Amino acid sequence: MRAPSESESESESESESESESESGSASASGFRFACEDCAYFVEEQGACANGYPNHEHRRGARTIVFCKEFELA
């Protein structure tokens, strides 16, 4: 059996990372945690009704940060 070339190894790792991020993502599993899913989110203002900063909790944020006040709407 031959060892994979460097370019073959790189493309395999890229495709593995892509499939892991797609299948293992929170949104793909139906996990709801963002401000937009919370009962305290005021959509018109894009803000938390309780006054908490929400830039890290919004959909599309690069990391998942949980809010202690989250209440599923």
Side-chain angles (χ1 to χ4, degrees):
M1 208 171 148
R2 72 174 181 85
S5 70
E6 194 172 307
S7 62
E8 289 174 332
S9 295
E10 287 175 7
S11 64
E12 286 176 10
S13 339
E14 287 173 6
S15 61
E16 286 174 8
S17 297
E18 288 173 9
S19 63
E20 285 176 12
S21 65
E22 289 173 10
S23 63
S25 71
S27 59
S29 62
F31 184 51
R32 295 178 16 184
F33 57 88
C35 289
E36 291 84 353
D37 301 316
C38 180
Y40 299 117
F41 182 68
V42 181
E43 190 170 349
E44 297 80 28
Q45 298 172 355
C48 176
N50 294 333
Y52 288 103
N54 66 352
H55 66 278
E56 293 182 318
H57 306 274
R58 301 289 299 270
R59 273 195 205 118
R62 295 190 62 120
T63 58
I64 296 175
V65 179
F66 297 101
C67 179
K68 66 180 182 177
E69 290 288 315
F70 181 83
E71 185 72 35
L72 187 58

